[in-house]
Amino acid sequence: MIIQFATVDTARPRLVASLVAQDGLPADADLLVREAAAAARFTGKAGQLFEAMVPAGGAVARLAFAGIGDPGAAGRIATLERAGGNLTAKYLTSGETELAIDFTGSALSAEEAAAVLLAARLRAWRHDVYRTKLSDEQKPSLATITVFGAPEGTEAVWETEVAIAEGVEFTRELVTEPANVIYPESFVERCKARLEGTGVEIVVLGLAEMTALGMGALLGVAQGSVREPKILAMRWKGKAGARPTAFVGKGVTFDTGGISIKPAAGMEDMKWDMGGAGAVAGTMLALAKRKAQADVIGVCGLVENMPDGAAQRPGDVVTTMSGQTVEVINTDAEGRLVLCDALTWVQKEYSPATIVDLATLTGAIIVSLGHEHAGMFCNDDLLAGQLDAAGKASGDALWRFPLGPAYDKLIDSPIADMKNVGPRYGGSITAAQFLQRYVDKGVAWAHLDIAGTVWVDKAGATHEKGATGFGVRLLDRYVRDVLES
């Protein structure tokens, strides 16, 4: 979708949408339209959408009204995003090719108008690459949104939002592609292609380099696959000076569970077990596109977890890059084995002051939070507060969980420094405790368990069913509010 800016006197297309607050249609609305809206019980409440057909110069024009609720209510940005997303959802395959959104009289700020437009664009994203038999009625027709009466400054704000949209869309692309298309090597190549010319510095480690560095945990996960593992590091140095911030993503491009194999039902979903790495890649694209004034390193640990004759076994002991040893109790608890070596490497290589890792790490987090929040575990109250605020502002919501010695002892091993799983209960917490053992003293660190939020079975305000792009807007907002402030 292309969102264009146009002046009010530019000819409008056949389909025009206006934003309506909870008081109802404006006083100058046509009487017939007002009566039709009343009959449909449209009052401008948040989430409402009403359409009317009106004569216009010998033809018929479509008028759409999207409710934006009470201007003083909490969650204003989310409400506006819902309005923008609803418009796209209704008209994406309607046969209309252009939609005009008229902000005249809406009393929105530039930031609020941009929120409507961002949601409208994000809700239009689809992945139809492999769908060869779509009927005309199923194919997207809406190609352009033209803006009228935009508040002063909207175009400048939109330039930034476009970068965010590109980052979210790239993450969705990576997460949606099947595992025979996106695997460690192709993930790296696709990132290289999208980041080319942006100024992002890229470093790639292959099997030989990781073996030399002693990444026994990550390599243990990968040894059952014919796909060579990779470490991908992307650095955007938009500001020199202080120690950088690192975003680290779990990138298991397909997870069978290894020898501890998963049930067949639903295993196809495990193509999105690289959602953390996808979010990091999308964030780095967004930061580079908008020229963020920050020094950020994105690291993706990329492996495929397969159960062939070379795969690691339950009971194996591996030595991590940090020198700590791990007894592998369950080969399906592989994400933490990938992340622990990636965490050690980024600290030794770049000495970041802050690390945020993102991982589709545990099914237990879905039991706890469903698909509405990602779980946050953090060793620093200031960082936790900053991320929580960024989650609320961006819509990528977080909920903080505890860490502590009582949970830590649950992963002690009788024959190694630790086990890779604890008991049945508190599984998300013991996974975070495992990762914390690889964070250097003095480093502010947060672990985000995003297993319930990267892929959903129902459409939302800014996404269709499937990949959500969760994490990109969160991390970008954190960079804006903390690193660029």
Side-chain angles (χ1 to χ4, degrees):
M1 174 179 288
I2 301 170
I3 296 179
Q4 299 176 338
F5 285 85
T7 57
V8 176
D9 58 359
T10 302
R12 283 169 165 76
R14 204 171 77 94
L15 172 59
V16 179
S18 296
L19 305 179
V20 179
Q22 194 161 321
D23 292 338
L25 296 178
D28 60 352
D30 183 88
L31 178 60
L32 183 61
V33 173
R34 294 179 66 84
E35 290 184 350
R41 295 186 176 180
F42 176 84
T43 61
K45 290 181 180 179
Q48 285 188 316
L49 191 63
F50 168 71
E51 181 186 58
M53 299 289 190
V54 297
V60 175
R62 302 173 79 166
L63 300 179
F65 300 92
I68 56 175
D70 182 356
R76 183 64 169 160
I77 294 299
T79 298
L80 293 169
E81 288 186 350
R82 188 177 175 189
N86 283 349
L87 287 168
T88 296
K90 182 171 180 63
Y91 295 111
L92 185 63
T93 60
S94 66
E96 299 287 355
T97 60
E98 184 177 1
L99 164 67
I101 297 181
D102 192 347
F103 288 102
T104 305
S106 65
L108 299 182
S109 67
E111 289 74 18
E112 290 172 332
V116 175
L117 301 178
L118 177 61
R121 170 166 171 163
L122 290 179
R123 188 60 178 79
W125 188 88
R126 291 177 27 155
H127 194 73
D128 291 335
V129 175
Y130 307 113
R131 305 177 73 186
T132 63
K133 295 184 178 182
L134 289 174
S135 66
D136 289 342
E137 290 77 15
Q138 292 173 313
K139 293 177 182 177
S141 59
L142 187 63
T144 302
I145 292 181
T146 303
V147 176
F148 294 88
E152 185 177 354
T154 301
E155 192 161 3
V157 176
W158 179 243
E159 289 180 6
T160 297
E161 296 304 297
V162 167
I164 308 309
E166 289 187 34
V168 172
E169 290 162 352
F170 183 44
T171 295
R172 291 178 179 175
E173 174 190 326
L174 292 169
V175 172
T176 303
E177 287 281 19
N180 62 324
V181 174
I182 289 295
Y183 44 88
E185 184 178 6
S186 62
F187 185 106
V188 169
E189 293 307 313
R190 195 164 292 201
C191 288
K192 283 182 175 179
R194 288 299 297 272
L195 292 168
E196 185 177 5
T198 63
V200 173
E201 302 170 7
I202 293 179
V203 174
V204 181
L205 305 183
L207 180 62
E209 293 90 342
M210 287 187 279
T211 301
L213 289 167
M215 294 188 181
L218 186 153
L219 294 174
V221 176
Q223 70 190 41
S225 174
V226 297
R227 306 288 194 188
E228 181 178 323
K230 302 286 183 183
I231 287 280
L232 169 64
M234 302 159 282
R235 185 171 193 176
W236 170 253
K237 200 167 185 179
K239 182 179 180 181
R243 291 163 64 190
T245 295
F247 299 142
V248 180
K250 170 190 170 183
V252 179
T253 57
F254 194 78
D255 181 21
T256 66
I259 296 299
S260 306
I261 195 164
K262 295 176 181 291
M267 193 191 291
E268 69 277 5
D269 287 346
M270 288 299 96
K271 69 178 185 177
W272 51 255
D273 206 20
M274 37 61 69
V280 169
T283 299
M284 298 309 297
L285 177 63
L287 296 179
K289 286 283 188 176
R290 72 173 183 82
K291 307 298 181 186
Q293 298 299 300
D295 187 359
V296 179
I297 299 150
V299 175
C300 302
L302 302 166
V303 302
E304 187 178 64
N305 187 22
M306 298 291 283
D308 86 344
Q312 68 180 358
R313 298 154 291 266
D316 285 1
V317 175
V318 296
T319 301
T320 67
M321 183 181 173
S322 71
Q324 298 178 86
T325 57
V326 180
E327 181 186 9
V328 179
I329 302 299
N330 188 326
T331 64
D332 194 24
E334 84 300 329
R336 65 204 72 182
L337 298 174
V338 173
L339 283 173
C340 71
D341 279 339
L343 288 170
T344 298
W345 181 76
V346 75
Q347 289 172 99
K348 289 184 179 296
E349 190 72 17
Y350 297 102
S351 188
T354 302
I355 300 174
V356 180
D357 78 68
L358 300 90
T360 51
L361 207 63
T362 66
I365 206 69
I366 306 176
V367 174
S368 299
L369 296 174
H371 300 283
E372 311 310 318
H373 290 75
M376 173 172 59
F377 304 81
C378 193
N379 69 358
D380 183 273
D381 289 341
L382 176 60
L383 175 59
Q386 292 166 338
L387 288 170
D388 183 63
K392 287 182 170 66
S394 66
D396 287 352
L398 304 175
W399 192 268
R400 190 177 185 183
F401 280 72
L403 293 167
Y407 296 106
D408 199 44
K409 66 183 181 182
L410 298 177
I411 56 171
D412 288 339
S413 165
I415 66 166
D417 295 326
M418 70 198 82
K419 301 180 292 187
N420 75 324
V421 292
R424 177 183 178 188
Y425 300 107
S428 299
I429 302 174
T430 52
Q433 294 285 167
F434 180 97
L435 295 175
Q436 188 176 31
R437 296 189 181 196
Y438 296 88
V439 178
D440 293 345
K441 186 176 182 180
V443 175
W445 160 78
H447 159 60
L448 308 182
D449 193 333
I450 60 175
T453 54
V454 302
W455 189 273
V456 293
D457 292 330
K458 64 178 181 179
T462 60
H463 57 79
E464 183 53 274
K465 296 177 182 179
T468 64
F470 186 96
V472 176
R473 298 177 68 186
L474 167 72
L475 296 180
D476 176 77
R477 175 55 63 182
Y478 169 79
V479 171
R480 291 198 216 186
D481 292 348
V482 177
L483 304 185
E484 294 184 290
S485 63

